[in-house]
Amino acid sequence: MEIIILPTADDVARTAADAIEEQVRRGPSVLGLATGSTPLGTYQELIGRHRTGGLSFAQAQAFLLDEYVGLPAAYPQSYHSVIRDEFTISVDFAPDAVHGLDGMAEDPEAEAARYEGLIAAAGGVDIQILGIGTDGHVGFNEPMSSLGSRTRIKTLTRQTRQDNARFFDSADDVPDHVLTQGLGTIREARHLLLLAMGEAKAEAIAAAVEGPVAAICPASALQLHPHVSVLVDEAAASRLAHREYYTDTFGRKPAWQGL
Ligand code: F6R
């Protein structure tokens, strides 16, 4: 894992956008997209580079991490709608190049299998954006998710429903169930970008990065991946024991290495 501590949330967004831009400019790419508040700055940055810097997503495909069960795609809080409104509608993905899970599928297991097949048929994900929950979830793999899990239905914790209540009228309106890529699925992406900003994420980041690999902190499973960039602002890094080492290492990193 490479832990990169940046002064502000804007720096996190710019650095994540740099990595995605580099991938997209390399040729046809498969992007893994997260929803929630964390990647919004990155999406804004990419939209800006599309509008003024000629960055094109026409050769790219994208896969969403997760979706609420029981919300039709057209519902504003569905991740299908959120990713369209916050990002994909403002750039130039080809029609049908952005894939999501169907939260209304009658057979969630079949839907999960279909989605895994679609990712495999696309050649796997090149670069995956991830946020982290205050309980250490990535995707919607809540604590005690199998570290080898595949796409499937999960039940959200009360904490996550409370955390996500801001997108709904109340916590009671947040669906109980979600379809999410599993930790095993996520770990097959070739490059993982884990982003976190703000003090509220500091404990989860410390557990994920410096704690043991354990299902109680699902994000700790990323320690098993060969190419993870953890981009955090000072506040999210505030509980890391080895902050100085990470900063020193990044400061002396040869520019040619990239992320
Ligand atoms: C969203 C997702 C979640 C969020 C996490 C953090 O697709 O998979 O893991 O990344 O809940 O949410 P925010 O960014 O809203 O703090």
Side-chain angles (χ1 to χ4, degrees):
M1 276 182 155
E2 180 176 32
I3 294 96
I4 301 172
I5 303 172
L6 296 157
T8 67
D10 285 348
D11 296 311
V12 171
R14 267 192 298 274
T15 307
D18 287 347
I20 294 159
E21 174 168 3
E22 196 182 315
Q23 171 63 49
V24 169
R25 287 197 188 274
R26 221 175 274 150
S29 296
V30 181
L31 310 181
L33 304 180
T35 44
S37 305
T38 304
L40 293 180
T42 304
Y43 296 147
Q44 279 304 313
E45 187 68 31
L46 291 170
I47 291 167
R49 294 178 192 197
H50 167 69
R51 289 190 176 144
T52 61
L55 177 62
S56 172
F57 295 85
Q59 302 299 317
Q61 290 193 69
F63 286 88
L64 272 63
L65 269 178
D66 37 25
E67 183 56 276
Y68 289 114
V69 168
L71 292 192
Y75 198 79
Q77 280 86 357
S78 78
Y79 282 173
H80 184 99
S81 294
V82 169
I83 207 73
R84 183 197 59 217
D85 297 347
E86 300 289 356
F87 179 41
T88 60
I89 200 168
S90 302
V91 295
D92 62 341
F93 280 101
D96 302 325
V98 181
H99 310 280
L101 285 147
D102 178 3
M104 296 300 285
E106 274 184 25
D107 182 345
E109 282 184 25
E111 174 58 8
R114 178 195 72 84
Y115 202 59
E116 290 267 346
L118 215 53
I119 296 173
V125 171
D126 290 305
I127 188 162
Q128 173 68 58
I129 303 174
L130 296 168
I132 187 169
T134 53
D135 63 2
H137 70 236
V138 286
F140 273 134
N141 295 282
E142 296 285 30
M144 309 322 293
S145 288
S146 156
L147 303 186
S149 51
R150 311 300 308 184
T151 303
R152 70 217 181 288
I153 194 164
K154 286 293 288 179
T155 307
L156 295 179
T157 60
R158 202 165 289 188
Q159 174 71 54
T160 299
R161 293 177 68 233
Q162 194 62 52
D163 288 347
N164 287 5
R166 67 191 190 281
F167 299 117
F168 293 80
D169 290 337
S170 76
D172 289 340
D173 294 324
V174 181
D176 284 321
H177 296 107
V178 289
L179 278 163
T180 180
Q181 288 188 34
L183 294 170
T185 318
I186 291 168
R187 278 173 39 210
E188 283 173 5
R190 287 179 272 282
H191 183 190
L192 303 179
L193 286 182
L194 176 63
L195 317 182
M197 291 89 89
E199 171 68 32
K201 299 294 174 73
E203 200 178 326
I205 283 292
V209 169
E210 293 179 340
V213 175
I216 191 70
C217 178
S220 67
L222 307 190
Q223 293 178 30
L224 299 169
H225 191 283
H227 190 185
V228 184
S229 306
V230 181
L231 307 179
V232 285
D233 69 0
E234 296 279 359
S238 58
R239 303 226 184 154
L240 290 170
H242 300 283
R243 279 199 307 277
E244 252 176 56
Y245 171 64
Y246 308 138
T247 303
D248 187 44
T249 307
F250 187 60
R252 289 193 280 136
K253 185 176 182 176
W256 57 263
Q257 263 188 332
L259 280 195

